[in-house]
Amino acid sequence: MSFVVNCVTQEEIDYYWEKLTTGGGEEVQCGWLADKFGLSWQVVPTKIREWVKDAAGFQLDLAILEQAFAGK
């Protein structure tokens, strides 16, 4: 079992991620985390459902990812 937090903005994602990992929580993988009590959470953008419906949403464009990472 896991809980989902749907977020509209990156700021919301960062806020919930920080709050849920503080005090002993940890990152797991692919947007999942475990809080200090061991409960599983997924913090995701609300548009994820829309993106998942479109198979093209799963195609990775490495050039765009590299560009985004370089700008970080």
Side-chain angles (χ1 to χ4, degrees):
M1 180 174 91
S2 65
F3 297 97
V4 176
V5 178
N6 292 298
C7 301
V8 176
T9 66
Q10 183 64 49
E11 290 78 19
E12 283 182 297
I13 291 171
D14 295 342
Y15 172 82
Y16 286 108
W17 194 268
E18 180 183 340
K19 293 295 181 184
L20 290 166
T21 56
T22 298
E26 61 183 0
E27 297 181 24
V28 180
Q29 64 182 359
C30 300
W32 290 85
L33 62 90
D35 66 17
K36 64 183 178 182
F37 303 107
L39 297 173
S40 295
W41 294 83
Q42 207 177 4
V43 181
V44 297
T46 54
K47 287 191 172 191
I48 195 78
R49 289 185 185 108
E50 177 183 325
W51 298 335
V52 171
K53 285 181 185 176
D54 180 7
F58 286 115
Q59 295 176 359
L60 297 178
D61 186 326
L62 294 180
I64 291 173
L65 291 173
E66 288 176 2
Q67 187 177 31
F69 183 75
K72 211 174 180 186

